Amino acid sequence: MLIKPGAVRTMTLSLLGNPVSSTSVSAGQFERQSFTLFGESSTAVGTQPTTAPPPGTASNSERNAERLSIPCTANMCTPFVRVVPPLLDFGSVDVGTLKSLYLRVENLSQVAATVQCKLESKVITCTRAPITIAPQQSVSVRVDSYPRRVNARYRKQIIVRNIHNRLNDSVVEVRSTHVDRRRVAFHNLFYQTLVPANEQNFVDFGLVPLNARSLRRVNLRNVCRCPLAIEVAADAADAGAFSAYTVVPQRDGSGRLTDAACQVARRLPLLERQAAMHSNIEKFKERTAGATVPEAAALPPRSSLCPVAVAP
């Protein structure tokens, strides 16, 4: 390194410690280490002395050489993490349905740890971005299972990498049994379910205020060469919270609007206004805690829309 007269140069030192074993006494704790940096400075090569040195004496660069030592100390810690549980058993999962379980990653060390999940699967999904865990803290990682076909013995492994200590990588085994109790594979032979702006086959309602309706559209595509009669219904546990409706024909054979279409056209704007009013009321309640808010008008009866009641 060449430093001109009166100039200042900055050196960057990089310290890379060797990871300790998990069975070590100081595993996960700060350990103080000391070392020394040695340096030597002299006149730059090529600088001509003003007078020639006498015979038998050292040159100017040798006389001006200075050796220095810098004592250094550092507190070093090897991050260790623990993943629980080591086995995720989803049990029986229906084809075309989503089921979620959680992994807990604990940081056992006194320094922040960074982990990353590695997984190659079309059925199991989880976050693959690096996750930073504070010292002596833990985070939960959500693992989703979305089976696509029947498989009685599905097995997969999730590798949880410790970025700063690869000797501490963990392997989580995933098990599940993919069944088709609702005969989804059989139904797929006749029609397809298309959910807008969603790759997977489920409907996301997002945040819905209490006592307010939220509408989502699901398209059914007939892949057969003959007409299909489909009955749409919710599960018994959710029968009171969900209702299915179908779009009525807008015009009859003569080209005029049908009575049902006119009724739906009148009701839908009112339904949208009332849903927006409920949303504004909930937001107002959050901003002004304890304020009295008048009750909103009652929603129109469900019979105002045309439910699906076609025999299979």
Side-chain angles (χ1 to χ4, degrees):
M1 178 184 298
L2 178 62
I3 305 178
K4 297 181 180 180
V8 178
R9 295 289 296 272
T10 302
M11 294 187 301
T12 302
L13 303 180
S14 178
L15 179 62
L16 180 62
N18 296 324
V20 299
S21 174
S22 59
T23 58
S24 176
V25 178
S26 61
Q29 300 179 359
F30 280 105
E31 182 179 2
R32 190 179 184 87
Q33 296 184 4
S34 302
F35 56 95
T36 304
L37 293 179
F38 295 96
E40 181 177 343
S41 63
S42 61
T43 305
V45 179
T47 304
Q48 298 296 333
T50 55
T51 59
T57 60
S59 61
N60 290 341
S61 60
E62 294 178 354
R63 290 198 306 269
N64 296 334
E66 296 182 0
R67 294 178 176 84
L68 53 93
S69 62
I70 304 175
C72 303
T73 59
N75 292 328
M76 306 187 67
C77 179
T78 302
F80 286 93
V81 298
R82 179 175 59 189
V83 182
V84 291
L87 171 63
L88 282 182
D89 192 353
F90 283 87
S92 298
V93 185
D94 283 318
V95 174
T97 59
L98 183 67
K99 187 174 182 180
S100 301
L101 294 178
Y102 288 88
L103 288 174
R104 189 172 76 254
V105 184
E106 302 174 352
N107 185 4
L108 307 178
S109 56
Q110 298 178 351
V111 69
T114 303
V115 297
Q116 186 176 17
C117 297
K118 181 181 179 182
L119 173 66
E120 295 181 1
S121 174
K122 296 182 179 179
V123 177
I124 304 298
T125 57
C126 64
T127 178
R128 301 186 183 184
I131 304 174
T132 302
I133 310 175
Q136 305 296 335
Q137 299 295 325
S138 62
V139 296
S140 296
V141 179
R142 175 178 171 178
V143 181
D144 297 332
S145 176
Y146 186 78
R148 301 173 183 269
R149 58 178 61 89
V150 176
N151 190 344
R153 291 178 54 85
Y154 181 80
R155 301 291 185 269
K156 189 62 65 174
Q157 288 183 344
I158 301 177
I159 302 178
V160 182
R161 292 180 172 178
N162 189 341
I163 301 300
H164 301 298
N165 184 12
R166 295 301 306 277
L167 298 177
N168 187 230
D169 291 354
S170 302
V171 178
V172 179
E173 184 178 359
V174 179
R175 299 179 182 177
S176 62
T177 302
H178 303 164
V179 296
D180 195 5
R181 289 174 292 195
R182 300 180 181 180
R183 306 184 68 184
V184 175
F186 178 75
H187 281 244
N188 290 338
L189 300 176
F190 300 95
Y191 65 91
Q192 295 179 352
T193 305
L194 307 178
V195 181
N198 202 333
E199 295 181 359
Q200 294 182 336
N201 191 16
F202 63 88
V203 181
D204 185 8
F205 284 87
L207 300 177
V208 181
L210 295 175
N211 300 324
R213 289 184 178 179
S214 180
L215 302 179
R216 293 294 185 271
R217 186 179 78 251
V218 178
N219 299 326
L220 301 180
R221 176 184 295 174
N222 185 359
V223 297
C224 300
R225 296 183 179 180
C226 59
L228 291 178
I230 303 174
E231 181 181 1
V232 181
D235 293 338
D238 302 328
F242 295 94
S243 298
Y245 304 93
T246 182
V247 180
V248 299
Q250 297 294 324
R251 299 183 183 275
D252 53 13
S254 60
R256 294 180 299 179
L257 292 176
T258 60
D259 295 338
C262 295
Q263 185 180 7
V264 172
R266 291 193 301 268
R267 292 289 184 178
L268 282 181
L270 177 62
L271 181 63
E272 294 176 354
R273 289 196 300 270
Q274 290 178 348
M277 181 174 59
H278 277 281
S279 178
N280 295 333
I281 290 176
E282 293 297 329
K283 294 180 181 179
F284 180 76
K285 287 181 178 179
E286 294 179 357
R287 291 195 301 265
T288 58
T292 303
V293 181
E295 294 293 335
L299 294 176
R302 295 184 178 180
S303 58
S304 61
L305 298 178
C306 298
V308 176
V310 183

